[in-house]
Amino acid sequence: QVQLVESGGGLVQPGGSLRLSCAASGWIQKYYNVGWFRQAPGKEREGVGCLNLSDGTSDYIDSTKGRFTISRDDTTNTVYLQMTLLRLEDTAIYYCAADWRVRKGDCSLVPGAYAAWGQGTQVTVSS
């Protein structure tokens, strides 16, 4: 069973950048979907981006396209979320998630599609 640990959150000014890490144990590198999600106070958890590790397919919600990028390091079993041009509304707890149910050419931004979750890391964008 895969276990996930996020890190890299913190306080950043608007327009700044952060890189979140998701370190996995028990990782099957080529047969997982990985998603990044966030949840702000009083709001539902939403997907911000996902990556299909088997074929490299990625997807992002409109508000993060061009600003957020998911990448991977197979040597360390780590998936990253690089966030740039951060906005006040990006403030949330960020979670990574993984699931073995992979379809070619697809990854999911739906929380219910993921079985394994990390504990989350806080990102605060504030001046």
Side-chain angles (χ1 to χ4, degrees):
Q1 181 178 356
V2 66
Q3 294 182 325
L4 307 172
V5 178
E6 302 97 333
S7 61
L11 174 65
V12 62
Q13 292 184 340
S17 300
L18 274 178
R19 188 178 75 163
L20 306 183
S21 300
C22 176
S25 61
W27 197 253
I28 303 176
Q29 296 174 358
K30 295 184 178 179
Y31 301 103
Y32 274 84
N33 273 328
V34 175
W36 281 96
F37 296 81
R38 64 188 179 188
Q39 188 165 18
K43 295 188 176 181
E44 294 186 353
R45 190 169 298 189
E46 67 170 351
V48 297
C50 61
L51 177 66
N52 182 327
L53 296 182
S54 68
D55 63 13
T57 299
S58 63
D59 195 13
Y60 301 86
I61 57 171
D62 287 345
S63 64
T64 65
K65 286 180 180 177
R67 299 190 300 124
F68 290 11
T69 304
I70 299 175
S71 62
R72 61 194 284 186
D73 183 346
D74 291 344
T75 63
T76 59
N77 283 348
T78 303
V79 174
Y80 300 99
L81 178 66
Q82 178 69 51
M83 305 185 293
T84 63
L85 300 174
L86 283 162
R87 306 169 180 169
L88 297 176
E89 56 265 35
D90 293 319
T91 296
I93 299 174
Y94 282 71
Y95 301 88
C96 66
D99 199 273
W100 62 269
R101 292 165 289 185
V102 174
R103 296 191 306 178
K104 186 177 181 181
D106 188 27
C107 66
S108 179
L109 292 171
V110 176
Y114 293 85
W117 290 83
Q119 82 290 350
T121 185
Q122 177 70 48
V123 172
T124 302
V125 184
S126 175
S127 56

